[in-house]
Amino acid sequence: MTSLRERDAMTCRACGKEERASEGYPCVKCGTFVCVVCNMRGVVECRACAEKKIPTPKWLED
Ligand SMILES: [Zn+2]
Ligand SMILES: [Zn+2]
C-alpha cells in the first residue's frame, strides 16, 4: 500500500504537510495543491498567493 500512498501524497502549499492529493483542493488563484484540512479551515489559497494578496477593500467586505 506504500506505493499508492506515495502516488497520492502531495505537499500542501498552505500548511506544508503531505496530504492526500485526492482529498485536497486547488488554490483558487494558481491551482496548486491545498489540502482538505486547510480547506475546512477556510483556506482556499496557497501561502504564496495569500501573502501576495492585497488587503480586502472596504467595498468588498459587505
Ligand atoms: Zn494544508
Ligand atoms: Zn496559489
Side-chain angles (χ1 to χ4, degrees):
M1 288 307 246
T2 50
S3 60
L4 177 66
R5 191 180 169 275
E6 281 166 19
R7 209 180 304 156
D8 193 37
M10 285 184 75
T11 303
C12 171
R13 295 302 173 189
C15 70
K17 287 184 186 171
E18 279 211 344
E19 299 289 350
R20 284 169 163 240
S22 58
E23 292 178 357
Y25 297 84
C27 166
V28 294
K29 293 259 182 71
C30 69
T32 199
F33 176 65
V34 175
C35 74
V36 68
V37 178
C38 289
N39 201 268
M40 283 190 300
R41 296 197 315 227
V43 178
V44 294
E45 298 170 352
C46 67
R47 188 175 296 182
C49 288
E51 284 176 359
K52 271 185 273 181
K53 188 169 60 177
I54 56 166
T56 309
K58 278 202 165 68
W59 52 270
L60 274 179
E61 284 179 348
D62 292 326

